[in-house]
Amino acid sequence: MTEPTTLPTGTRRLAVERGTLRDTARAHLARGGGVLLTGPAGIGRTTVMSQLAQDLGGFGHRVLRCSPSPAERESPFLGLIDLLTGVADDTLTALAAHERAVLESTLLRSAHPMDAEPDEGTGAAAGRDALVLRIAVRKVLARLVGTGPLLLVIDDAQWLDRPTAELLNYLARRADPGLSVLAAVRTGPEASPLWRDADDSGGALELCPAPVRRIVVPPLAVHELAELLERHDHPAWSRPLIARLHQASGGNPRTALELSSALDERVRLEGAESPGSADPLPVPDSLRRPVVERLGALPASARDTLVMAGAAVRPTVELLRRAGRRDAAADLDICVRHGVIRVLTALDHGTVRFLDPLTPMVLRAETPYERLVDAHRALAEASDDAVERAHHIAQLTAGPDPAVASRLAAAASAARRRGAPGTAARLGRLAAEYTPAGLAYVDIDRRLTAAEDGIEAGDLDFARQLAHEVLGEADRPADRVRAWNVVIDSCGQAMAEIADVFPEAVRDAAGDPELLAQLHYRMSWREWMVGGSAARAHGHAVRAAGLAARTGDRRTELMALTQQAALELFLGLPEADATLAAALAAPHDVHAMTHHNGPVYLKYRFHLVRDELDEARAELRTLVYRLRQRGSADSLSQCLIGLAQVEIQRGRCRPALTIARQSLRIVEEAGLSQGPAWYALSLAETAGGSLGQALSAAETARRHSEDDDDRLFLPRALHAEGRIRLFGGQSAQAVELLRRAGELETAQGQRDPATRRWHADLAEALAAAGAPDEAAAVIAVARRQAERLGRPGVLATLDRASASVDASRGELGIAVRTLESAATRLRATGYPLEEARTRAALGRVRRLLHDEAGARTAFAGALRIFTKADARPWITLTRAERDRAQDAPAPLPEAGSWSDQLTSTERSVVARVAQGATNREIAAGLVVSVKTVEAALTRAYRKLGAKSRVEIARMVMTGPTA
């Protein structure tokens, strides 16, 4: 094992992205130079600066800080006074008398002749004093740097007074080593005109000594926003509503908090319900007023054009011109110059984008209803898109209208075909609302179709609401079971929450085999995810497939066959391939063939267990392409999770990290269960990011799976967290997590170790924790299964684990041969990261044999592979091990001495005990756990008849015993 790496033991970071930003800025500042943070008001620049100042202060930096305000911009040297407030007067004693006098006068610590009324010659004197002041401040900072690194923190640099800015500019060009500057500048419409754009922040860059790094503080992600609201004791809004708050705020923390507070006030004080997906969010006056002021500065014609752009679904210059805004291009150009919108290039059809997502919301609230109706009427006539035209027609219609309802239903179908299920769901619900009361069955069908589209779009609350509406009205079994299916599908990973649904749904099915097929398919998932039994889940899947085939329901048949094949693969049953082939056979169903629980998706997992990584990647890339064109957010996210895992196994760590983050963004924005996406991110961070971020992601994945009572993904999250603890040298914690993962998988019925590859990691953790016999037992069971099914990749990793058991028992020669063979086979099967892990283990064992040349060669081989894969955590760990391998080993007793009866591990431990090393120091030097050292020392005591470390030392010093 590697030397223990410091990992958090249960802390929750604010955010993956903010953590990365802080790591980047902190590493840069620790080497000197400057960092400039930019971003709009409320984005969190000050928070990040405070965290960085605290971090660096903890590392020994002295921190001086100033935070100017707009009112202070015209007060000369107020920024300098603020900055040097914490500098004691005795620090100035080293200055020459005239330097100290000028500095103390500037800091208002004493009077000075330059404060008097100007007369002839005063200008020249003031010029000399300005130069003296610069020299004096530089000397003071140099003296402070002499006692340790110094950090200057300048928040809201756009409000810094000009004399202070010029002085800091002078200091930045002549900065001493050990001085670093962290500055922040506000950008956006609320900033000073000179600092409005991030690209115009050159003035602030000049405050920072070289090298300078400019970092844009990014908006919060959805999960970060949820944590922010939770920490500020805001209500536990639904995930779709949090996604709407995120969209409306643009990820700006301050804006999101104010929107949430306004929404809470309306719900609490006014007794209103939480807004639906189509209802507007309340905008508080504090946010509305600046937008109104910006809009008020526009000419009337430009404001009218903006109103129409805000009413359009996809506003373009051409659409606005056709809708009657003849001067649309000129009006929009004015809006661009005022920083309200941007217009994309001609390649994007001149699409209009609002820079502040609050602007169209405020526009709609501030515009008289009659003008909005006129805008929708003009857009309906101008639009050449059936979906957009139907949207505008619905805004113009009051009360049920069968013609409008049919038009909306047709538009929903068009949106569904083009891969926009969210739009289809919204239009479908409108179609139901405009359906006359006499067409009850049509109304129910349209609501259920909209609910199913909502599932595809990830709007689960919307789908559940419609389903429960139908259950309150419908009496036909088909309608009721269809609604129950929506309720079941909308729960995501949290199927434990709907235990009472299945008996009611079965009663409503009234023995209809087609309806029962749909329910047995879903019961199969519940039995696996909640019941934890793959065997019982398999029985439901088989029954579902049979009933669906008998009734001609090809979609349900294909989905059930896919589930059956997946379970047979997990259970190690030989018929798995034949079942998958039946699911892939014609006739096909488009929904099943592009679903993440469909047969095409499952093909990649069959490739994976056979070590066919390139084929698995090709299947997933094709499916991802189709889903990006038209498909559900859930399916796209799951396919990206699979693709990230494949890229990790292929040794492409950087793309894997990008893909995993995409998956997380999708589930956050759609309000889907997040456990699987956090799991994928933890794997990607472990491979190509940082172990700290990986652990945070794995813990989050575990919490989500535990909250959902999801036994299908919980073992994977535990495995991910256990691997990270293992790699960080925390073998006892790793054993606890990995053992739990193994127990859950085994209880579910796993019989193919290639479907969940936790066995080798658990065995290595057990060996490192001083439990080689248990490790050997884990390996033996997995090896029998892998040999029966022909899983060469699994067998090679089990051999690496077996070598760790051999090494812990002192059988180093056997371990070397096993590791060399395993590395060769892992290269042949195409697992570069596993091969590199094996070569690193080989380096550790060769070091125990005092073969330093062989150890360096093994570590160098591992480093070459890790570097090519951009596996950053592994590069760091392996370099550290390589450098330790170059240290001189402790001398061992010669052959023929008392040490003959000891194993090589026991001899290494005894030799270091004789040199006075502690058990922890010995563990670090030998790269084993403390428990392994203690066990080896206990055996040595028994074999040598020694009772203390003193006796051990005496034996080594006196040489061979009689």
Side-chain angles (χ1 to χ4, degrees):
M1 277 305 302
T2 61
E3 186 177 80
T5 300
T6 301
L7 292 173
T9 57
T11 58
R12 292 181 65 181
R13 296 191 178 191
L14 167 63
V16 174
E17 290 77 11
R18 292 293 168 92
T20 302
L21 183 155
R22 286 171 57 193
D23 290 343
T24 300
R26 184 169 54 243
H28 185 88
L29 291 169
R31 297 189 295 268
V35 167
L36 175 64
L37 302 177
T38 67
I43 200 65
R45 300 181 322 278
T46 300
T47 300
V48 173
M49 292 185 80
S50 298
Q51 292 168 340
L52 285 169
Q54 183 177 354
D55 292 345
L56 290 168
F59 293 152
H61 282 66
R62 178 168 182 173
V63 180
L64 303 180
R65 182 167 188 161
C66 71
S67 302
S69 67
E72 299 169 355
R73 193 171 188 184
E74 303 304 322
S75 302
F77 293 115
L78 198 55
L80 181 65
I81 294 171
D82 195 11
L83 196 65
L84 299 184
T85 296
V87 178
D89 289 340
D90 57 7
T91 307
L92 311 184
T93 55
L95 298 175
H98 67 291
E99 293 171 343
R100 180 173 182 178
V102 170
L103 180 55
E104 287 182 339
S105 173
T106 303
L107 299 179
L108 303 182
R109 298 186 185 184
S110 69
H112 186 265
M114 70 180 293
D115 296 330
E117 290 292 328
D119 55 17
E120 293 183 10
T122 300
R128 287 193 301 272
D129 282 348
L131 178 59
V132 170
L133 176 63
R134 293 183 176 188
I135 294 171
V137 174
R138 184 182 177 192
K139 286 184 178 180
V140 168
L141 297 184
R143 185 175 181 186
L144 294 175
V145 169
T147 63
L150 177 65
L151 174 67
L152 304 184
V153 178
I154 308 164
D155 196 3
D156 277 328
Q158 73 276 359
W159 307 127
L160 200 62
D161 62 271
R162 186 171 296 279
T164 299
E166 292 174 350
L167 190 150
L168 291 172
N169 186 356
Y170 167 85
L171 295 172
R173 295 195 301 270
R174 297 163 176 81
D176 296 313
L179 173 67
S180 51
V181 174
L182 172 62
V185 62
R186 179 186 300 185
T187 58
E190 295 183 13
S192 168
L194 295 176
W195 306 81
R196 186 156 288 163
D197 297 321
D199 292 337
D200 293 335
S201 54
L205 285 172
E206 293 174 358
L207 303 176
C208 302
V212 186
R213 180 155 190 169
R214 183 169 63 191
I215 301 175
V216 177
V217 179
L220 294 180
V222 178
H223 71 271
E224 297 172 307
L225 176 56
E227 291 182 11
L228 179 74
L229 296 174
E230 180 183 348
R231 284 199 309 275
H232 284 77
D233 297 323
H234 282 241
W237 304 120
S238 66
R239 284 182 292 196
L241 188 50
I242 289 176
R244 288 192 64 198
L245 288 170
H246 178 265
Q247 182 181 23
S249 66
N252 186 294
R254 184 190 301 169
T255 304
L257 287 170
E258 294 191 42
L259 286 171
S260 178
S261 295
L263 182 58
D264 181 36
E265 182 177 354
R266 192 178 76 174
V267 171
R268 265 189 317 106
L269 301 183
E270 300 178 15
E273 295 182 355
S274 296
S277 58
D279 299 327
L281 294 173
V283 180
D285 190 60
S286 59
L287 297 177
R288 185 189 61 82
R289 194 184 314 111
V291 176
V292 171
E293 291 174 355
R294 286 198 296 274
L295 295 175
L298 297 172
S301 176
R303 286 199 303 273
D304 290 342
T305 299
L306 273 186
V307 168
M308 189 166 288
V313 177
R314 285 185 298 275
T316 65
V317 177
E318 180 57 29
L319 174 63
L320 297 176
R321 187 182 293 115
R322 291 201 308 267
R325 304 305 303 171
R326 289 178 299 177
D327 297 325
D331 289 338
L332 294 174
D333 186 57
I334 294 172
C335 296
V336 168
R337 292 200 301 272
H338 279 75
V340 177
I341 62 166
R342 65 189 178 102
V343 180
L344 304 185
T345 64
L347 293 176
D348 294 300
H349 310 292
T351 302
V352 178
R353 291 284 185 268
F354 287 91
L355 297 181
D356 183 349
L358 291 178
T359 301
M361 296 169 60
V362 173
L363 263 175
R364 186 174 185 86
E366 296 290 318
T367 303
Y369 175 75
E370 295 76 12
R371 286 181 59 194
L372 287 175
V373 169
D374 291 341
H376 284 297
R377 182 176 292 109
L379 288 166
E381 294 173 357
S383 178
D384 55 6
D385 178 80
V387 173
E388 180 154 357
R389 191 182 307 114
H391 163 79
H392 294 299
I393 290 173
Q395 303 299 316
L396 300 170
T397 306
D401 186 318
V404 172
S406 296
R407 197 165 188 173
L408 286 166
S413 297
R416 192 179 308 115
R417 287 193 300 272
R418 68 171 57 158
T423 302
R426 180 172 51 81
L427 292 171
R429 182 174 186 174
L430 285 173
E433 291 176 356
Y434 285 103
T435 300
L439 302 174
Y441 291 148
V442 175
D443 170 37
I444 286 174
D445 178 70
R446 285 171 175 169
R447 275 189 283 174
L448 287 173
T449 302
E452 290 160 354
D453 286 330
I455 294 287
E456 291 295 299
D459 196 342
L460 306 183
D461 288 345
F462 168 86
R464 266 194 301 273
Q465 178 185 347
L466 287 180
H468 284 296
E469 287 177 7
V470 169
L471 287 169
E473 302 171 13
D475 52 12
R476 295 191 306 181
D479 292 335
R480 294 190 63 80
V481 171
R482 190 177 170 194
W484 285 124
N485 287 339
V486 169
V487 172
I488 295 167
D489 295 346
S490 69
C491 74
Q493 304 297 121
M495 294 193 80
E497 299 176 0
I498 53 169
D500 58 336
V501 165
F502 287 96
E504 292 190 46
V506 170
R507 280 195 299 271
D508 283 339
D512 185 319
E514 182 175 0
L515 301 179
L516 288 173
Q518 299 167 17
L519 292 174
H520 276 291
Y521 168 68
R522 289 164 174 83
M523 283 190 275
S524 173
W525 276 107
R526 185 180 186 280
E527 198 59 62
W528 197 3
M529 293 174 63
V530 181
S533 172
R536 291 195 298 270
H538 180 259
H540 283 294
V542 171
R543 188 170 181 188
L547 289 170
R550 207 170 78 208
T551 57
D553 182 357
R554 183 59 174 166
R555 174 176 298 183
T556 301
E557 181 189 6
L558 291 180
M559 299 297 284
L561 283 171
T562 304
Q563 174 77 335
Q564 180 183 336
L567 288 160
E568 288 166 354
L569 182 68
F570 183 80
L571 293 166
L573 301 178
E575 56 265 33
D577 288 288
T579 304
L580 178 61
L584 290 167
H588 297 150
D589 176 85
V590 174
H591 175 85
M593 291 299 163
T594 57
H595 198 277
H596 65 278
N597 291 325
V600 175
Y601 176 81
L602 185 60
K603 279 177 68 179
Y604 107 89
R605 290 172 54 195
F606 274 69
H607 285 307
L608 278 189
V609 299
R610 299 186 186 112
D611 305 323
E612 298 166 353
L613 300 184
D614 290 342
E615 292 84 347
R617 179 174 182 265
E619 293 286 357
L620 283 173
R621 281 173 59 86
T622 301
L623 193 51
V624 165
Y625 176 80
R626 292 176 183 169
L627 289 169
R628 287 194 191 279
Q629 304 304 312
R630 55 184 66 191
S632 74
D634 197 8
S635 290
L636 177 57
S637 169
Q638 293 292 341
C639 286
L640 290 173
I641 288 170
L643 186 57
Q645 292 177 257
V646 172
E647 294 291 31
I648 291 168
Q649 291 173 314
R650 295 176 69 245
R652 289 167 47 83
C653 298
R654 184 53 45 185
L657 195 54
T658 300
I659 293 167
R661 287 172 176 165
Q662 287 177 9
S663 174
L664 181 59
R665 281 197 300 272
I666 289 169
V667 300
E668 287 175 339
E669 292 170 0
L672 301 168
S673 296
Q674 296 180 15
W678 280 108
Y679 161 74
L681 184 60
S682 73
L683 299 184
E685 288 283 357
T686 302
S690 76
L691 290 186
Q693 300 288 4
L695 182 62
S696 177
E699 290 174 335
T700 303
R702 174 169 54 82
R703 284 194 299 272
H704 277 287
S705 296
E706 288 173 339
D707 290 344
D708 293 339
D709 196 16
D710 178 3
R711 300 189 188 183
L712 188 57
F713 263 97
L714 178 57
R716 304 185 205 185
L718 292 168
H719 181 198
E721 187 177 347
R723 290 173 80 245
I724 297 162
R725 299 289 186 187
L726 173 64
F727 301 154
Q730 299 172 356
S731 54
Q733 291 169 283
V735 165
E736 181 181 351
L737 291 160
L738 292 168
R739 188 185 277 147
R740 186 181 169 200
E743 289 169 351
L744 287 170
E745 295 279 22
T746 303
Q748 289 179 19
Q750 184 194 17
R751 296 295 182 270
D752 186 343
T755 57
R756 307 276 196 275
R757 305 190 182 206
W758 49 267
H759 310 76
D761 291 324
L762 173 56
E764 289 186 40
L766 287 165
D773 293 341
E774 185 181 351
V778 171
I779 293 169
V781 172
R783 192 186 300 280
R784 286 195 298 271
Q785 295 173 344
E787 287 173 345
R788 176 176 64 86
L789 296 167
R791 305 294 189 234
V794 172
L795 289 169
T797 58
L798 289 173
D799 281 347
R800 183 184 64 228
S802 180
S804 70
V805 174
D806 292 333
S808 71
R809 291 170 170 169
E811 299 170 346
L812 301 182
I814 297 174
V816 165
R817 292 191 293 274
T818 303
L819 288 169
E820 288 175 338
S821 172
T824 300
R825 284 183 291 136
L826 285 167
R827 171 175 289 183
T829 50
Y831 291 99
L833 295 189
E834 294 295 338
E835 178 194 350
R837 276 183 64 184
T838 305
R839 295 194 182 280
L842 177 61
R844 291 192 291 272
V845 176
R846 286 200 175 278
R847 179 169 56 194
L848 292 175
L849 286 169
H850 309 292
D851 178 7
E852 290 303 323
R856 285 194 296 273
T857 300
F859 285 127
L863 268 176
R864 278 195 299 271
I865 299 171
F866 285 139
T867 301
K868 182 179 180 181
D870 202 11
R872 298 182 182 183
W874 287 101
I875 293 170
T876 301
L877 291 172
T878 307
R879 281 177 178 166
E881 289 191 311
R882 177 200 62 189
D883 295 342
R884 287 199 303 274
Q886 295 172 353
D887 296 338
L892 290 175
E894 297 179 359
S897 71
W898 52 267
S899 64
D900 288 347
Q901 55 191 310
L902 302 181
T903 66
S904 59
T905 299
E906 292 164 356
R907 287 199 300 272
S908 298
V909 170
V910 165
R912 286 164 171 78
V913 166
Q915 294 175 336
T918 66
N919 286 1
R920 188 170 296 279
E921 291 169 342
I922 296 170
L926 296 179
V927 199
V928 296
S929 70
V930 174
K931 285 189 176 180
T932 299
V933 173
E934 292 171 348
L937 191 55
T938 299
R939 293 193 299 270
Y941 280 150
R942 185 173 61 251
K943 291 177 181 180
L944 298 176
K947 297 180 179 179
S948 68
R949 300 172 83 91
V950 174
E951 289 187 30
I952 288 286
R954 186 180 298 117
M955 289 180 183
V956 174
M957 297 300 294
T958 57
T961 58

